[in-house]
Amino acid sequence: MTTMKMDPKILEKLPIEKGGQDKTKRGELWKKFNVNGNAYLSLAEVDKGLLGMDLPAISGNKQVIMRAFQAAKGAHNAPGDDDIGEDYIERSEFRLLFVYLKNYLELWQLFDDIDSGDDKKINEEEFESALPTMKAWGITLKDPKASFQEADANGGGEILFDEFAHWAIQKSLHIQIASGPSSPKAKKRTFGSKTKVAPKSSPGKKKKLSAMDWKKINSRLPSSKTDDEKTKRKRIWNQFNVNGNAYLSLAEVDKGCREVLKLPEIANNKTVIMRAFQAAKGVHNTPGEKDVGENYIERSEFRLLFVYLKGYLELWRLFDEIDASKDKKINREEFQSAVPTLEKWGIPMGHVEKTFDEVDANGGGQIMFDEFADWSIRKSLAVEFEVDMAPTAIKSKAAAPSVQVEATPSKDEEPAAGAETPKGSSSSFDWEAIKEKLPAEKTEEQTAQRKELFDKFDPNGNGYLSLAEV
């Protein structure tokens, strides 16, 4: 069977072997890619890291990078595990990233061979002309027209690389990968259907959450509105927000909890961090308003982040006490045994079996922390921590209305007395100034303006603009 030959230089620079020099090389590359040292690689960091590897065949191909990133990220999360890492490449997935880069680069080479028009699309004529090429790669097509329509998933009349890759993998396209799977199918990693690989359990002593030092936790999570605590929060904000862009991502909050707060009870508990982040982000956005901040923690929400971290940590402490087997799940037997504990926490227990089914929202037969937290909040669990907020507000945006948000409009926002300006009116816009500063035309002059603006928007030079950068 014929396979596309990979440039030896690429094979040499992408270390995918599990041991020896490749393992050492991956350790060195990880440090170069992970410049902020937060144990996660974003798509932008992967892209920037590849630029430094002097591999133009890959670094210049955003399609290949994107597909490889999507295939590798979250591969080592256990199925159903809600973890910050499922949207990033973690250290244990770094080798897989290189494996998938090779996989998708080979698929791209075949795609590019078929795409005789070099427009990054394959039309039906090009597809049928490439039958001998595809046969050599292990794909025999009895009905080329039907196969074209099958590959053209969105029915657009042309096959894009994403569609082609997905179709080729389903057809068991033969790809030679050193020390990796013989084909993408061998990994069973297809778009929209990830097979997660459970991480190896790591022995080690875990700090018991029931012995938490709340005095220390409260001192490091200043959540009250006093001048002293406001000053503390401002200092901590500056330490969390290292890039100074007025927004905190989940990865930045995670890193700040580890390196700034230095509270192992929180830093080692991704579930608590995730829940608190989801609850606090976007709380100060106007309902229905589309805003960059709705996916990040803004300065005005930083106090709330600390409130939610304490609240969810307290809920986790109870969850951990009930979870006798320490597998981060509560079964029926554990729940039954915890009735006295739950009643002490202020939850009257009636029919235990019925209550268990109520808590087990997804009917999986075990209670996850997410389900337990939502149920506890609905039951008005008496969570005590030093904040000025009721436990019923410790949920997410569903409970956000209980948080009083003070928003005083500036003078510029106040309409003149007696004026009735319709909402969204554009009668006062200076459209000439707007058009001048937003070069949307296809002229050479405005094309040059856009290029100049893009360079200013993209200070890290990675070829992508995040929502925060825009």
Side-chain angles (χ1 to χ4, degrees):
M1 185 178 285
T2 306
T3 58
M4 182 70 68
K5 289 184 179 178
M6 184 77 74
D7 184 339
K9 290 181 182 177
I10 295 174
L11 291 172
E12 188 181 330
K13 290 185 179 181
L14 290 179
I16 65 170
E17 299 294 340
K18 289 184 178 179
Q21 291 184 344
D22 275 12
K23 188 174 182 180
T24 303
K25 189 183 287 187
R26 275 197 306 278
E28 293 168 359
L29 286 171
W30 174 264
K31 290 175 184 176
K32 290 178 181 177
F33 277 51
N34 187 33
V35 288
N36 61 10
N38 69 349
Y40 302 108
L41 294 182
S42 66
L43 178 59
E45 287 171 321
V46 167
D47 184 66
K48 189 175 181 182
L50 290 169
L51 280 171
M53 289 182 68
D54 189 28
L55 286 169
I58 291 176
S59 60
N61 195 322
K62 307 300 182 191
Q63 297 263 27
V64 166
I65 296 171
M66 174 69 84
R67 298 284 73 74
F69 181 86
Q70 293 294 336
K73 73 181 177 70
H76 282 181
N77 286 350
D81 188 17
D82 192 2
D83 182 58
I84 181 177
E86 67 179 22
D87 294 319
Y88 299 87
I89 300 291
E90 297 185 72
R91 180 67 181 86
S92 60
E93 297 157 350
F94 199 42
R95 188 185 75 86
L96 279 181
L97 173 67
F98 292 137
V99 170
Y100 286 122
L101 282 168
K102 288 183 178 182
N103 272 335
Y104 284 107
L105 184 58
E106 286 211 79
L107 282 169
W108 178 266
Q109 287 178 316
L110 175 57
F111 179 84
D112 192 54
D113 278 355
I114 298 171
D115 173 28
S116 56
D118 288 329
D119 57 358
K120 297 182 181 178
K121 292 176 263 187
I122 296 172
N123 60 35
E124 195 166 351
E125 185 182 344
E126 291 170 329
F127 189 80
E128 290 186 5
S129 299
L131 292 178
T133 304
M134 285 190 279
K135 187 175 181 180
W137 276 71
I139 299 178
T140 303
L141 304 177
K142 294 180 181 178
D143 187 344
K145 190 174 184 68
S147 295
F148 178 85
Q149 291 172 348
E150 182 188 352
D152 178 23
N154 68 4
E158 293 171 311
I159 301 170
L160 303 175
F161 176 64
D162 205 7
E163 297 172 320
F164 178 79
H166 185 57
W167 172 79
I169 289 168
Q170 288 177 325
K171 293 293 179 185
S172 304
L173 175 64
H174 183 71
I175 295 182
Q176 288 290 85
I177 298 293
S179 292
S182 61
S183 76
K185 188 178 179 183
K187 283 295 290 183
K188 293 183 181 176
R189 296 298 303 276
T190 57
F191 301 118
S193 176
K194 282 190 178 181
T195 299
K196 304 267 186 174
V197 181
K200 293 179 181 178
S201 59
S202 54
K205 291 185 179 178
K206 186 174 96 174
K207 181 167 181 177
K208 194 172 181 180
L209 293 173
S210 56
M212 288 187 286
D213 183 347
W214 280 103
K215 186 176 180 181
K216 182 176 75 171
I217 291 168
N218 282 318
S219 71
R220 294 191 189 178
L221 290 174
S223 58
S224 74
K225 294 181 179 180
T226 64
D227 289 342
D228 182 45
E229 298 230 321
K230 281 181 184 176
T231 303
K232 281 185 187 177
R233 276 197 304 277
K234 186 177 179 183
R235 185 178 69 249
I236 296 171
W237 169 268
N238 291 334
Q239 291 174 298
F240 269 54
N241 187 34
V242 288
N243 60 11
N245 69 349
Y247 301 107
L248 293 180
S249 67
L250 180 57
E252 288 171 319
V253 168
D254 181 68
K255 185 182 180 186
C257 287
R258 281 185 288 110
E259 299 181 5
V260 179
L261 299 178
K262 294 181 179 176
L263 287 169
E265 300 91 340
I266 290 175
N268 296 333
N269 197 321
K270 306 300 183 190
T271 305
V272 166
I273 294 171
M274 173 70 84
R275 296 282 74 74
F277 181 87
Q278 294 295 336
K281 73 180 177 70
V283 165
H284 283 180
N285 287 354
T286 305
E289 183 184 80
K290 291 284 185 182
D291 181 58
V292 59
E294 68 181 16
N295 294 314
Y296 299 87
I297 299 292
E298 297 185 69
R299 180 67 183 84
S300 60
E301 296 157 350
F302 198 45
R303 186 184 74 84
L304 285 180
L305 174 67
F306 289 167
V307 169
Y308 287 125
L309 281 170
K310 289 183 190 179
Y312 279 112
L313 185 59
E314 185 80 349
L315 285 170
W316 179 267
R317 182 167 73 107
L318 174 58
F319 181 85
D320 187 63
E321 283 182 13
I322 299 170
D323 174 26
S325 60
K326 303 303 175 201
D327 59 355
K328 298 183 181 178
K329 295 174 241 178
I330 296 172
N331 60 36
R332 286 183 187 274
E333 187 181 345
E334 290 169 332
F335 192 75
Q336 174 77 52
S337 302
V339 168
T341 304
L342 288 165
E343 287 181 339
K344 279 182 186 176
W345 279 67
I347 299 179
M349 300 294 291
H351 193 291
V352 179
E353 285 291 320
K354 191 174 179 181
T355 304
F356 181 91
D357 292 335
E358 180 191 346
V359 186
D360 179 22
N362 68 3
Q366 293 172 312
I367 299 170
M368 313 300 289
F369 176 67
D370 234 4
E371 297 171 322
F372 179 78
D374 284 347
W375 172 77
S376 299
I377 291 163
R378 288 199 307 271
K379 293 292 180 183
S380 302
L381 176 63
V383 176
E384 293 185 10
F385 48 97
E386 294 177 11
V387 293
D388 56 353
M389 195 171 173
T392 50
I394 306 168
K395 192 177 179 186
S396 63
K397 298 210 193 76
S402 61
V403 182
Q404 296 299 315
V405 181
E406 297 171 7
T408 307
S410 66
K411 290 182 180 178
D412 292 337
E413 292 173 324
E414 294 173 2
E420 291 186 7
T421 306
K423 188 177 179 181
S425 171
S426 59
S427 57
S428 60
F429 289 168
D430 183 349
W431 281 106
E432 289 305 314
I434 290 171
K435 286 178 182 177
E436 186 181 337
K437 292 188 177 181
L438 292 175
E441 301 295 328
K442 293 183 178 178
T443 62
E444 289 185 14
E445 183 184 357
Q446 295 216 353
T447 300
Q449 275 182 270
R450 282 195 300 276
K451 188 175 185 302
E452 188 179 339
L453 283 170
F454 188 89
D455 292 339
K456 290 179 181 178
F457 274 53
D458 184 33
N460 60 10
N462 70 349
Y464 299 109
L465 295 183
S466 68
L467 191 54
E469 286 172 323
V470 169

